[in-house]
Amino acid sequence: MMGRTSAVTIAEVAKHAGVSSSTVSYVISGKRSISEATRRRVEAAIRELGYHPNAGARALAGKRSHIIALMVPLHTDVYVPIMMEIAIAVTMAARGFGYDVLLITNDEGPDGVRRVAASGLADGVILMDVELDDDRIPVLRAQNTHAALIGLPADATGLSCVDHDFAAAGALCADHLADLGHRDVAFIGYSPAVYRRHAGYAERTLTGFRTRSAERGLRIVHRPCDGTYESTAGAFTRVLADRPETTGFVVQNEGAIGPLLSLLRAAGRIVPEDASVVALCPEPLADQYSPRLTAVTGPAQDLGRRAVELVMRRIEGADADEVALLTPLLTTRESTGPAPHRD
């Protein structure tokens, strides 16, 4: 209703539907059989008035919604196929527990978490695209919401989280190129906006790469880009201007992979004879390029499955605080080789 400033009550729903308050309660709880016509009248009143059953009342009734809310990112800089793969994995795993999945878009932020928690709409929440200082997490803690995070915040105290070990992934890239004799390496990353919002997957990968590069004596440069051909060309040009001896490239930006390979060819640098390229990307993407890419990968399906298991343990009342980091895998293909000899 327009202009309403207070929560709708069961009494108001009952009056609107022309039934008793107890009948509304029975429709919501499912504890008694109600005629189909009456049930439809009550449900129509609930929709029209915007009534949300109180989470506490739902708990007192001992009834669960058997719904998990999944907060999915809508950032323009995310790689949609991976996000959809995770969302599908969450949906399939939830069905194994007899649960359905409700998608909530990230643009609602903390308000979306509050809405779900206050309404009792879902028994638990799974957050995707977790930032290091994610502003949704204080709301989860304050509302005591059953939740699991796909991603690792800076402070994971009291939380259930699952993520790829992105720091280890960055270290794998540095080790691989160092083992091949490369000494000057460029890291082509996501857009500046991703680093500004402190996306955990981007910052942890870069930290792992930098730390291991320092240990292995690599000279590195990090250049973010938007993943378009123009932005990748700008990053590539700056790399060659600043470090013309660069022979190794690590790319963590799905959109920049194709442009980078084209730019290397245009510059007369044959892959892998003159320049080696390691990508952090899904396996199907690594296989579709020529040459096929040496890549660090981690199965997105495992993230979704583990997240559902974590949130279900919380829903069932278990002490489920846990941080699970999935081990990344580097697969050597055709895009990396020994560093070229310098005269």
Side-chain angles (χ1 to χ4, degrees), residues 7-286:
V8 177
T9 66
I10 281 183
E12 289 173 300
V13 173
K15 182 178 180 181
H16 192 80
V19 298
S20 67
S21 295
S22 60
T23 298
V24 176
S25 296
Y26 294 145
V27 169
I28 293 170
S29 68
K31 283 196 168 185
R32 290 195 183 180
S33 178
I34 302 295
S35 73
E36 183 68 13
T38 300
R39 184 179 62 79
R40 286 181 177 176
R41 274 209 319 280
V42 171
E43 289 175 345
I46 287 172
R47 286 193 302 272
E48 290 168 15
L49 296 178
Y51 173 73
H52 295 295
N54 178 270
R58 184 187 295 280
L60 289 173
K63 181 176 175 61
R64 292 179 179 171
S65 68
H66 291 281
I67 291 173
I68 294 172
L70 176 64
M71 298 199 72
V72 296
L74 283 183
H75 301 296
T76 57
D77 49 48
V78 301
Y79 185 59
V80 173
I82 289 181
M83 294 301 169
M84 289 302 98
E85 191 174 353
I86 294 172
I88 291 169
V90 166
T91 302
M92 293 178 66
R95 289 307 308 148
F97 287 95
Y99 269 68
D100 292 312
V101 173
L102 172 69
L103 297 184
I104 307 290
T105 57
N106 253 15
D107 58 343
E108 291 190 66
D111 289 338
V113 176
R114 288 190 191 93
R115 179 168 65 84
V116 172
S119 68
L121 192 62
D123 298 331
V125 178
I126 295 175
L127 302 190
M128 294 176 64
D129 195 32
V130 173
E131 298 169 3
L132 294 183
D133 50 357
D134 202 298
D135 58 4
R136 297 169 296 177
I137 292 173
V139 179
L140 288 178
R141 289 187 167 122
Q143 301 278 357
N144 199 26
T145 304
H146 300 311
L149 280 58
I150 299 178
L152 186 61
D155 179 11
T157 304
L159 301 173
S160 296
C161 310
V162 61
D163 203 1
H164 295 308
D165 191 339
F166 285 104
L172 280 176
C173 296
D175 276 335
H176 181 68
L177 292 173
D179 289 344
L180 290 170
H182 296 273
R183 287 295 170 262
D184 287 279
V185 177
F187 189 106
I188 307 297
Y190 285 111
S191 71
V194 172
Y195 298 99
R196 282 196 299 271
R197 62 184 173 87
H198 302 296
Y201 57 87
E203 292 210 1
R204 292 185 188 278
T205 304
L206 189 56
T207 297
F209 174 74
R210 282 174 166 159
T211 300
R212 188 57 55 84
S213 294
E215 295 168 356
R216 297 298 301 269
L218 298 181
R219 295 179 293 270
I220 65 170
V221 60
H222 169 233
R223 292 289 177 264
C225 73
D226 294 334
T228 62
Y229 185 90
E230 292 76 10
S231 64
T232 308
F236 180 72
T237 300
R238 290 195 302 276
V239 166
L240 295 190
D242 296 339
R243 300 284 179 85
E245 300 300 308
T246 297
T247 59
F249 291 84
V250 176
V251 54
Q252 188 185 29
N253 185 326
E254 291 83 1
I257 295 172
L260 177 62
L261 293 174
S262 297
L263 290 160
L264 285 167
R265 282 193 295 269
R269 299 199 177 198
I270 301 171
V271 176
E273 288 83 354
D274 301 317
S276 288
V277 177
V278 181
L280 294 113
C281 70
E283 246 180 80
L285 198 60

